[in-house]
Amino acid sequence: MKNKSLMMLLASLFCMLTLSAENYPYRSDYLWVTVPDHADWIYKTGEEAKIEVQFYKYGIPCDAVVEYSIGTDLLPSDKSGKTTLKKGRAVINIGTSKKPAFRDLRLKTTVDGVTYQHHVKVGFSPEQIKPFTQEPKDFMDYWKKAVAENQQTPLKYDMELVKEMCDDVEDVYLVKLQVDRRHWLYGYLLYPKNAKERNCPVVFTPPGAGVKTIKEVTSRPYYQTNNMIRFVTEIHGLRPTMDEKDFTDIRSAFSDYLEMGLDSPDHYYMRHVYLGLVRCIDFLTSLPEWDGKNVAVMGGSQGGALSIITAALDKRVTLCVANHPALSDMAAGSAGLTSGYPHFKDEWYTEANLRTMAYYDVVNFARYVTCPSFLTWGFNDNTCPPTTSYAVWNTLSCEKESLITPINEHWTTDATNKLQMQWIKARLK
């Protein structure tokens, strides 16, 4: 598994280097380089980690004083110090961790009156990280009942062709889909022009977090040429053609949607969202062009979480791709541990809220994913930290593959996105 992950990482990096002549980071006057003394940025618990720190401005090594602090992933620093870069370089021993965890080296220097910051995380026995969140005894019974009750609502949707988004190989439809008796969601259905009856795999792409328009609908053309029907959605029932000013006004009202109704599993805002995931699969598998075999889900962050949840709730899903899944081990913050997005504040960790979190946490859904799954995440991510990504990864018992990109923060490259499509394509039945 580890060798396969490393090979995929090298292939992805090769694609990025060959497709772009730009240096990393993009058009920046300065550059931090951090080099752990383990090539994969992974250590065993009890093993010391040393990191070489380099700083360049205009490509020139800088002799400067670097202030640093060290702390466990997303938690306050517990160690600090200073070091002097000589010829732009210094080595910092960040120590170790006695427990499976990630440690974060946080860096700051001032050059020519400007302060620059950076950070780098390394893992200590991350394959042993376990989630803090416990599974309720009736967890899957609760969701099976909720899905069954929701299935009594007939499948209902409206579709309209969006001519300005169509091209020579693909038609685009705006879909309004009813997900339960009170809620709707919108999505763009991307349809190959050469689609034939019972001939196309379907790919469901739920969204990242936030209240926003559906973006990047036509920015990944590699699905177009591989005969896949793709459904890209939002979750709030807001028509994506709405004026941006109206979105701005509504966003303020919905900005805390991940806290709405958190004191009750039955009234939590995300309940209709999770049920809507199954309804999206109902919709896609009702299309006459669906090949009757292949249903993939793929997304990142909140979309990665919703992809895993869809795969757990609906066994029609045959392939699952998730980038740095959010909504993972959310309750860990109540014990002073690293928690997943949305990183609830302390006052939200009430007994009632913690009970609800357990019914909605990705780590509990991960136990019920049975289809082949592909996950990718970076170590430097402070939105969906590597600690919680490993908590999900280590919980999955299905056939699984990973692409671990240590330097990544909360993003993936086009090369990685294309690699995921190729992973799906290679496993179609």
Side-chain angles (χ1 to χ4, degrees):
M1 184 78 67
K2 188 175 179 180
N3 289 338
K4 183 177 292 186
S5 299
L6 181 58
M7 289 175 66
M8 295 181 77
L9 171 58
L10 293 174
S12 177
L13 290 174
F14 176 77
C15 289
M16 286 188 289
L17 290 172
T18 55
L19 289 174
S20 175
E22 296 283 358
N23 290 324
Y24 174 83
Y26 180 69
R27 297 188 182 183
S28 175
D29 287 336
Y30 71 95
L31 175 67
W32 288 95
V33 178
T34 48
V35 185
D37 60 346
H38 282 198
D40 59 1
W41 300 26
I42 293 176
Y43 300 79
K44 294 179 180 178
T45 51
E47 190 174 17
E48 289 190 342
K50 297 179 181 179
I51 299 177
E52 182 179 66
V53 176
Q54 305 171 28
F55 183 83
Y56 302 86
K57 190 168 184 180
Y58 309 125
I60 302 171
C62 292
D63 291 346
V65 174
V66 172
E67 299 178 37
Y68 65 85
S69 61
I70 304 165
T72 299
D73 195 6
L74 289 192
L75 301 181
S77 300
D78 50 52
K79 182 179 179 181
S80 62
K82 294 182 179 181
T83 189
T84 300
L85 301 178
K86 297 181 179 180
K87 295 184 179 180
R89 299 180 179 223
V91 174
I92 299 175
N93 185 334
I94 72 167
T96 189
S97 176
K98 296 180 180 179
K99 298 179 180 180
F102 276 81
R103 295 283 283 169
D104 191 3
L105 173 63
R106 299 146 187 169
L107 304 163
K108 181 171 70 173
T109 190
T110 300
V111 177
D112 299 328
V114 179
T115 298
Y116 303 93
Q117 298 187 63
H118 190 60
H119 78 120
V120 57
K121 300 181 193 179
V122 296
F124 294 87
S125 300
E127 73 283 352
Q128 297 177 23
I129 291 174
K130 301 298 181 185
F132 169 83
T133 299
Q134 300 297 305
E135 180 184 348
K137 292 182 179 179
D138 66 339
F139 176 77
M140 192 46 71
D141 288 339
Y142 174 86
W143 283 108
K144 286 181 178 178
K145 180 181 178 183
V147 170
E149 290 176 350
N150 199 55
Q151 291 298 92
Q152 297 176 18
T153 301
L155 178 63
K156 182 178 180 180
Y157 59 88
D158 299 318
M159 287 177 56
E160 58 183 275
L161 184 68
V162 185
K163 293 182 180 179
E164 62 271 21
M165 298 179 70
C166 301
D167 58 26
D168 293 339
V169 295
E170 189 173 58
D171 286 329
V172 180
Y173 295 86
L174 178 59
V175 178
K176 181 181 179 183
L177 175 66
Q178 186 172 1
V179 298
D180 62 17
R181 287 178 295 177
R182 298 190 300 115
H183 297 93
W184 299 75
L185 63 74
Y186 285 89
Y188 285 111
L189 184 69
L190 290 79
Y191 232 89
K193 284 186 180 291
N194 62 351
K196 298 179 181 178
E197 190 170 327
R198 295 189 62 80
N199 190 48
C200 297
V202 292
V203 181
F204 171 42
T205 304
V211 183
K212 53 196 174 187
T213 57
I214 303 172
K215 298 181 179 179
E216 300 185 13
V217 173
T218 57
S219 65
R220 295 173 183 174
Y222 31 84
Y223 286 94
Q224 295 179 341
T225 57
N226 285 281
N227 199 43
M228 299 182 191
I229 297 173
R230 193 157 65 103
F231 189 38
V232 183
T233 72
E234 56 86 50
I235 60 172
H236 302 295
L238 301 176
R239 188 178 177 89
T241 55
M242 188 184 301
D243 183 87
E244 182 59 33
K245 181 181 182 299
D246 293 332
F247 262 107
T248 300
D249 293 340
I250 294 173
R251 189 176 291 119
S252 61
F254 277 82
S255 61
D256 59 351
Y257 66 91
L258 288 170
E259 299 171 355
M260 292 179 177
L262 189 57
D263 59 347
S264 167
D266 293 338
H267 300 119
Y268 186 36
Y269 183 88
M270 295 299 285
R271 178 182 167 90
H272 80 266
V273 175
Y274 286 21
L275 295 176
L277 303 173
V278 176
R279 186 43 48 100
C280 287
I281 303 303
D282 290 339
F283 166 64
L284 285 168
T285 56
S286 75
L287 300 174
E289 291 80 8
W290 175 50
D291 64 10
K293 297 177 292 185
N294 296 289
V295 178
V297 292
M298 65 89 61
S301 193
Q302 178 185 265
L306 298 180
S307 294
I308 292 171
I309 292 163
T310 308
L313 289 177
D314 197 323
K315 296 310 175 185
R316 289 172 293 183
V317 175
T318 57
L319 296 168
C320 176
V321 174
N323 303 324
H324 39 253
L327 312 178
S328 301
D329 215 12
M330 295 180 285
S334 67
L337 303 173
T338 303
S339 63
Y341 183 86
H343 313 298
F344 290 111
K345 296 179 180 179
D346 289 346
E347 58 264 31
W348 284 94
Y349 293 125
T350 65
E351 182 178 350
N353 290 354
L354 287 167
R355 178 173 180 269
T356 298
M357 287 179 204
Y359 284 97
Y360 287 83
D361 201 291
V362 172
V363 295
N364 287 333
F365 286 96
R367 296 185 175 92
Y368 296 92
V369 175
T370 56
C371 66
S373 298
F374 179 99
L375 270 66
T376 184
W377 63 93
F379 290 179
N380 286 340
D381 194 338
N382 277 344
T383 302
C384 297
T387 300
T388 59
S389 287
Y390 268 101
V392 174
W393 172 257
N394 294 339
T395 301
L396 288 168
S397 60
C398 58
E399 177 188 334
K400 59 184 181 179
E401 297 180 48
S402 65
L403 171 60
I404 301 173
T405 55
I407 200 170
N408 284 30
E409 298 192 43
H410 197 60
W411 46 266
T412 57
T413 64
D414 284 342
T416 295
N417 297 332
K418 184 174 183 179
L419 185 67
Q420 292 170 343
M421 183 280 297
Q422 293 171 335
W423 183 88
I424 291 173
K425 183 180 178 182
R427 286 155 185 79
L428 296 176
K429 299 176 183 178

